[in-house]
Amino acid sequence: MDDYRVVADALAADIEAGRLRPGDRLPPQRRFARERGIAGSTAARVYGELVRRGLAVGEVGRGTFVRAAKPPPEPALAEPGAARVDLELNFAVLPGESARLARALEPLLRDDVFTAALHPIGAAGTPPAREAAAGMLARGDWRPDPATVLFTGNGRQALAAAIAAFVPVGERLAVESLTYPVVKALASRLGVELVPIETDGSGLIPEALEAAGPVRALYVQPTLHNPLGTTMPPQRRTALAEVAARLDLPVIEDGVYTFLRDDVRPFAEYAPERTVFVDSLSKRVAPGLTAGFLVSPPSWTARLASSVRSGAWAASRFAVEAATQWIVTGTLAEIEAAKRRDAAARASVLAEKLPGLRGDPASYHRWWELPEPWRAETFVAAAARRGIALSPAAAFAVLPGHAPNAVRIAVSAPPVETLSAALDVLAGLASGTPDDLAAD
């Protein structure tokens, strides 16, 4: 049987008929090749075809497993799902937050001020906006030069502008092997190849970056990494800065969660001459009330501003004025402090209900390496049947078929009482096996 698609069709029929069940592990490729009397390369193409059809998922070091369900029609994390408890999307809107934000905006609603806010604005915003943003982004001894601050419509646009500025079409961008899904989508749209770099408990491994071959830039999340929830220690930041300098590599630092760890120095302080710092208001405030920020070395500011303009990624003037008002009135600082307290309260619930999860206690998300015999896709499907939405590791894996057996739990959205009850359900689910689903 020379055509690998014929073999793949036979396996697909077994899956459709239930002879191969969700979570079942397929034989190792060499054994499968011997059993079927086909070449090893053909067996590899068969398994690759099953993954491509969404019928199987590969897990590094574990093998290939029958997928729990067909992949959803929308990309993972693209839009809120219909689940009753959302532990998938990660944003917090606290009680009373909207009233605080509204009060701070009242001066903008005067006729003369509002009229000015209706006019267009460039990537550089205004001098008061740059000064306010620099103060907001400052951490410890690091305070960006206001002249290097640029504004975009949101954090995603800031990332797009930074990637487009340094990585031409067809070139390579280094990222952590598990990364923010939006960066995967941006790279595809911008024609950029992602190069996954191995990580460990301290974050991206500098030696792995050095061994990865030529890349044009590095995208990294050193503080409260998404999805792992980890924070890179100072020694690792120093080592990574040294490697980036040897490689003469621009670094795009995603700082969207840094407000939850205001005691951590950004990577930009370790490598100020080559780091573009990206942040936004989407987590600090809310996804629907946001603006993006770019801070770069002075020599790159014009280059990034050109990228923002050419991509039509500049912020609206009203968004910039609103952000400035929230900063200068102290409203934003109050909300950030409230969210740090909220994250700490949720961390206590997590520690009680699901002890041992990976992630910084200050983070709004955790990484759960699932117990055997659970597979990530099967567990996510089982949780969805109980009204709980989770994110499988495959949503964050750069290489298809190279996802660990894990899920991300985002804890910021539901009320604490609802979160506690949902974690009880997940703990009970994990204590059983996929075979228990047959009794549902």
Side-chain angles (χ1 to χ4, degrees), residues 206 210 235-248 267 270-271 273-274:
E210 203 158 20
Q235 300 91 327
R236 178 62 59 86
R237 296 181 189 230
T238 298
L240 181 58
E242 292 171 353
V243 168
R246 283 200 296 273
L247 298 177
D248 193 23
F267 182 79
Y270 293 79
E273 75 288 352
R274 65 182 62 259

Side-chain angles (χ1 to χ4, degrees), residues 9-368:
D9 288 343
L11 287 178
D14 287 342
I15 294 170
E16 185 71 24
R19 291 185 290 272
L20 287 173
R21 299 183 305 162
D24 281 354
R25 181 176 179 176
L26 299 179
Q29 289 182 16
R30 276 192 284 188
R31 194 177 91 198
F32 180 80
R34 287 197 306 270
E35 291 173 351
R36 298 280 176 144
I38 59 177
S41 59
T42 303
R45 296 183 74 184
V46 169
Y47 280 27
E49 177 67 9
L50 292 177
V51 171
R52 187 190 70 78
R53 296 184 192 183
L55 297 174
V57 60
E59 297 179 6
V60 178
R62 294 177 178 271
T64 304
F65 297 84
V66 177
R67 191 169 187 147
K70 291 182 179 179
E74 293 294 328
L77 308 182
E79 296 291 344
R84 294 188 299 275
V85 182
D86 185 359
L87 303 184
E88 181 179 20
L89 297 183
N90 206 9
F91 61 89
V93 179
L94 303 183
E97 181 178 333
S98 58
R100 285 180 178 177
L101 294 168
R103 283 195 300 271
L105 293 185
E106 287 175 2
L108 292 185
L109 302 182
R110 289 194 346 243
D111 283 351
D112 58 331
V113 179
F114 190 73
T115 298
L118 298 179
H119 290 271
I121 195 172
T126 65
R130 292 195 297 274
E131 189 70 37
M136 177 197 75
L137 297 172
R139 288 287 179 273
D141 295 333
W142 182 76
R143 188 183 190 279
D145 179 356
T148 66
V149 176
L150 301 173
F151 300 87
T152 61
N154 54 44
R156 299 178 181 195
Q157 293 177 350
L159 290 173
I163 294 170
F166 294 102
V167 188
V169 173
E171 295 287 350
R172 304 185 346 142
L173 171 68
V175 299
E176 291 119 329
S177 56
L178 295 169
T179 193
Y180 179 33
V182 166
V183 169
K184 296 197 295 180
L186 288 175
S188 176
R189 192 167 293 273
L190 294 171
V192 169
E193 179 187 353
L194 294 184
V195 179
I197 308 299
E198 185 182 356
T199 64
D200 60 16
S202 295
L204 186 142
I205 301 173
E207 295 79 7
L209 173 63
E210 203 158 20
V215 295
R216 297 298 291 266
L218 166 67
Y219 165 79
V220 66
Q221 306 169 82
T223 304
L224 302 182
H225 178 275
N226 181 19
L228 299 177
T230 53
T231 294
M232 187 181 290
Q235 300 91 327
R236 178 62 59 86
R237 296 181 189 230
T238 298
L240 181 58
E242 292 171 353
V243 168
R246 283 200 296 273
L247 298 177
D248 193 23
L249 203 61
V251 178
I252 302 168
E253 177 182 6
D254 190 336
V256 71
Y257 288 110
T258 54
F259 74 96
L260 292 172
R261 282 294 308 266
D262 59 349
D263 58 327
V264 174
R265 296 159 55 200
F267 182 79
E269 185 175 343
Y270 293 79
E273 75 288 352
R274 65 182 62 259
T275 302
V276 177
F277 185 83
V278 176
D279 203 342
S280 81
L281 297 183
S282 64
K283 307 300 182 184
R284 296 169 185 262
V285 180
L289 296 171
T290 192
F293 308 92
L294 283 163
V295 177
S296 75
S299 60
W300 290 349
T301 303
R303 180 179 188 173
L304 284 162
S306 175
S307 182
V308 171
R309 288 193 298 270
S310 64
W313 292 313
S316 70
R317 188 179 189 113
F318 186 82
V320 172
E321 298 290 358
T324 303
Q325 191 69 12
W326 289 328
I327 296 168
V328 300
T329 60
T331 302
L332 187 57
E334 293 174 2
I335 291 174
E336 290 176 0
K339 290 188 176 181
R340 285 191 287 272
R341 293 191 295 270
D342 180 61
R346 293 166 187 269
S348 297
V349 176
L350 270 167
E352 176 189 352
K353 303 293 184 179
L354 290 174
L357 300 191
R358 183 177 180 184
D360 190 314
S363 177
Y364 265 133
H365 54 271
R366 296 291 190 280
W367 190 244
W368 188 3

